[in-house]
Amino acid sequence: MKVMVLGLDGATWDILGPLAAEGLLPNLERLRKGGASGELRSVFPPLSPVAWTGVMTGKNSGKHGVFEFLEHGHDPMKGRVNSSRAIRSDLIWEVAARHGKKTIAGGVPMSYPPRPAQDFPGFYLGDFLSPENAPDFSSDPALFAELERAVGPYRAWSTTIHDGDNEEAVVDDLTAFLDQHLKTIEFLMGRCPWDLLMFDLMATDRFGHELWHAWDTTHAAAKGRETALNALRPKLLEFWKTLDRGLGAIIDRADSDTTFLLMSDHGFGAIEHYVNFNVWLLEKGYIALKDSLYVKQKHWFYRRGVTPEWFYGLMSKFGMAGHRVARFRGKQESWIDRLGEKTFLSREHIDWSRTRAYAQGNFGQIFLNLKGRQPQGCVDPAEARALLDEIKAGLTAIPNPETGEPLVEHVHEAADLYHGPYAEKAPDLTVTLKDWKYRTIGLHDFTTHKVVSPAFGPTGDHRMEGVLIAGGPGVEPHTAPRGANLLDIAPTVLHLLGVPVPADMDGRVLSELLTPELAATADRRDEHSDDQAAAVASAYAAEDDAAIQSRLADLGYL
């Protein structure tokens, strides 16, 4: 048996369901009706590097050591890009290779650089965290050259963004990007020997981030432009039809012994507001600023709204929204960027010796500034419990500005979400909001001078509810997953391949989707110990790290 895992990155039943019902996705519906389908829950928070590392390892962050795109090591002033070298666990294809299985891995986030570095057990193609022109972007340069002759110059990422009136160009670019990746899968599956093929289609994620307001014109960002955006509907539909046609070609080309798992690492939905916890922490006195005239001057401008939020509006007005996130991190490429950088209040102006807590992360994760942990920690560990309780109580009292009801649904402590030898790297608090149209942020310093402000830039973002469709040998028709989550993908794939599932995986084999013969042995585990516990160094030179951070900023992740 072969197993093909295709990541429909960010796909949601909110889009796929209605389109399938209208008959617009016949190939996807063919696989679904002949197999199994349902909801696949993401990890929380649903961040791509954590989600895909969970797919590749079957483990929570406390066991594999990846919590974000950047590894800060509890130093709020530093951060390096995480890579496969930061994953302190075997990857699914490394486990499979011990049993003689070959893998094609393409575009899987967090998989660069290839592991193992030498003699990859099959064929490897890098992801959007690969450096530009990296010599190890593929494991077989001759085969990669052959691929490019077949599909054209290969694009590992797309950073195309909407700026308020260029949605047609964005959807055209993303449709071409998606089509190339689908043709890449079709080429590789017929060119290389493989037992496992895992490939992530990044375009579906970019569609959600950049075009949610065009897809759903009730979005606040569509106000006043509904007619123009509705005129794009045929092209938006063509994007999803391109996905379905490509999937149909892949399914038709596959051998009869191929089992398919189509999955998304998270779902998608609208974002209309940002919730900036650093603003709240500053207002409440948990963040202290340096006591200098220079910083007081910046704080004066900040309180009057001179912030990245204001700057983005200015850039959009003059048609320069292509810089929309790069100005926060990475290279400052124009005089207006450099002016904004010098104007804004940022973490550079925080007095860390007096700061008790700060937010840092794509979901506004909060860290205490502990003595002995952070370089300038000032909170005695004996006082941490009381401080955590105080901050949690304050967060749960933040009102929703539209309804007056509490904005926060739950505040998770590290032990609620993580367990394992690397759990000490986790944030102390992670917040779930009641309404996910409100998006917590923490990486952008003081993006706005308001705790809650209108969102700018991407109009869609991640949700917990992803999709799962399975079909082919070993899959029991007309079944549905029960409580499935991303960590279940690795053990299920290994079980389908006939490879023992390592005992330390947190996920389970999705036996409810399998034929009785396979389901009967789903609980068996291998006691093989993990081989990736050694300390790791960065995969990137300083210049490449800076370039990738700039790319992540362009994508809206930093």
Side-chain angles (χ1 to χ4, degrees):
M1 183 186 297
K2 296 180 177 179
V3 179
M4 184 180 295
V5 181
L6 297 183
L8 313 184
D9 203 307
T12 170
W13 287 117
D14 290 343
I15 290 180
L16 298 183
L19 292 182
E22 292 177 37
L24 298 177
L25 304 176
N27 294 301
L28 186 146
E29 190 67 357
R30 168 171 49 124
L31 186 66
R32 188 187 70 81
K33 285 188 174 179
S37 66
E39 182 181 287
L40 182 68
R41 297 281 292 178
S42 188
V43 296
F44 182 80
L47 300 169
S48 295
V50 185
W52 278 103
T53 303
V55 171
M56 290 188 289
T57 65
K59 299 174 185 179
N60 84 95
S61 292
K63 288 185 179 178
H64 61 61
V66 173
F67 292 83
E68 259 285 359
F69 277 109
L70 302 185
E71 172 57 54
H72 296 279
H74 290 302
D75 186 342
M77 297 301 293
K78 293 183 179 179
R80 62 175 175 85
V81 178
N82 271 320
S83 72
S84 68
R85 290 185 184 172
I87 302 173
R88 309 289 284 273
S89 172
D90 288 337
L91 308 182
I92 185 172
W93 50 79
E94 292 176 311
V95 177
R98 290 200 291 265
H99 296 267
K101 306 296 183 181
K102 293 186 177 296
T103 296
I104 296 174
V108 181
M110 290 296 297
S111 67
Y112 179 87
R115 284 180 34 186
Q118 303 294 327
D119 300 319
F120 187 86
F123 179 72
Y124 172 83
L125 199 58
D127 66 310
F128 74 95
L129 295 173
S130 306
E132 192 100 39
N133 302 316
D136 55 353
F137 178 77
S138 79
S139 60
D140 185 338
L143 180 55
F144 181 61
E146 188 179 333
L147 168 67
E148 291 201 303
R149 288 193 292 272
V151 304
Y154 186 77
R155 298 172 62 194
W157 56 81
S158 168
T159 55
T160 184
I161 64 172
H162 80 88
D163 64 6
D165 63 3
N166 71 332
E167 288 88 354
E168 183 174 6
V170 173
V171 71
D172 285 347
D173 179 79
L174 292 179
T175 302
F177 181 49
L178 173 64
D179 186 58
Q180 185 191 58
H181 280 195
L182 290 162
K183 289 175 178 175
T184 296
I185 297 168
E186 191 178 358
F187 172 85
L188 291 174
M189 64 187 287
R191 178 64 178 78
C192 309
W194 57 278
D195 301 288
L196 168 62
L197 190 155
M198 182 177 285
F199 199 105
D200 180 49
L201 297 167
M202 182 185 183
T204 46
D205 177 86
R206 300 305 303 150
F207 183 100
H209 281 299
E210 301 301 328
L211 296 169
W212 195 271
H213 66 292
W215 183 260
D216 177 8
T217 54
T218 66
H219 195 291
K223 187 175 181 179
R225 302 185 59 229
E226 291 89 346
T227 300
L229 293 174
N230 284 330
L232 281 178
R233 194 70 176 181
K235 286 203 168 189
L236 299 174
L237 291 174
E238 183 58 27
F239 175 89
W240 295 105
K241 290 178 182 178
T242 297
L243 172 67
D244 189 73
R245 282 194 301 271
L247 292 175
I250 291 166
I251 293 169
D252 290 341
R253 181 161 188 169
D255 296 336
S256 60
D257 64 345
T258 302
T259 300
F260 291 89
L261 292 180
L262 276 55
M263 46 74 61
S264 60
D265 56 323
H266 50 74
F268 244 95
I271 53 167
E272 296 186 353
H273 308 272
Y274 285 147
V275 182
N276 193 320
F277 287 135
N278 276 328
V279 173
W280 183 82
L281 291 165
L282 179 63
E283 288 182 357
K284 298 300 180 181
Y286 297 109
I287 290 177
L289 299 178
K290 294 176 180 176
D291 187 19
S292 71
L293 181 61
Y294 175 71
V295 173
K296 287 177 179 177
Q297 183 183 50
K298 284 185 177 290
H299 196 198
W300 186 91
F301 280 106
Y302 163 81
R303 290 196 303 268
R304 285 153 181 80
V306 180
T307 64
E309 176 191 34
W310 162 80
F311 199 48
Y312 174 68
L314 180 68
M315 295 171 80
S316 295
K317 182 178 179 180
F318 290 102
M320 301 178 68
H323 290 277
R324 74 161 178 231
V325 195
R327 67 195 185 284
F328 299 140
R329 296 185 63 87
K331 298 176 181 178
Q332 304 305 315
E333 296 178 345
S334 72
W335 69 268
I336 196 167
D337 278 344
R338 291 190 292 272
L339 175 64
E341 174 79 355
K342 291 184 178 298
T343 302
F344 301 142
L345 188 71
S346 75
R347 72 188 66 190
E348 295 285 345
H349 310 115
I350 291 174
D351 182 347
W352 294 104
S353 68
R354 297 187 297 117
T355 289
R356 295 183 291 161
Y358 59 94
Q360 187 171 59
N362 270 287
F363 267 74
Q365 300 96 311
I366 294 174
F367 296 80
L368 300 188
N369 192 23
L370 289 176
K371 291 180 180 178
R373 187 175 73 173
Q374 275 80 358
Q376 298 184 62
C378 66
V379 176
D380 192 305
E383 300 171 354
R385 178 71 266 163
L387 182 56
L388 287 172
D389 290 341
E390 180 183 314
I391 293 173
K392 288 171 69 174
L395 289 169
T396 55
I398 298 174
N400 183 312
E402 296 179 299
T403 67
E405 297 294 317
L407 186 64
V408 172
E409 181 175 74
H410 189 73
V411 183
H412 303 271
E413 296 190 21
D416 300 333
L417 301 174
Y418 311 109
H419 63 278
Y422 311 110
E424 52 83 24
K425 297 168 62 178
D428 295 300
L429 300 174
T430 308
V431 177
T432 303
L433 301 180
K434 290 185 176 181
D435 184 348
W436 282 57
K437 287 184 180 178
Y438 288 78
R439 173 70 156 84
T440 56
I441 53 175
L443 277 170
H444 296 168
D445 298 313
F446 304 107
T447 307
T448 171
H449 66 308
K450 301 173 183 177
V451 176
V452 180
S453 63
F456 58 94
T459 56
D461 207 78
H462 303 177
R463 297 292 193 272
M464 290 295 294
E465 302 83 12
V467 306
L468 177 62
I469 303 171
V475 176
E476 186 71 9
H478 315 302
T479 55
R482 296 190 296 270
N485 70 69
L486 281 183
L487 304 189
D488 300 330
I489 295 297
T492 301
V493 169
L494 291 174
H495 190 62
L496 285 166
L497 289 170
V499 173
V501 177
D504 61 346
M505 283 190 173
D506 294 316
R508 67 179 179 89
V509 175
L510 295 172
S511 57
E512 67 269 28
L513 307 184
L514 306 182
T515 57
E517 297 81 7
L518 280 172
T521 57
D523 292 333
R524 294 179 183 173
R525 292 285 176 132
D526 181 14
E527 294 302 324
H528 179 86
S529 60
D530 214 325
D531 291 334
Q532 297 293 336
V536 292
S538 175
Y540 307 106
E543 182 178 347
D544 288 334
D545 193 286
I548 294 168
Q549 290 200 38
S550 183
R551 186 187 311 153
L552 288 169
D554 291 337
L555 293 168
Y557 293 128
L558 298 184

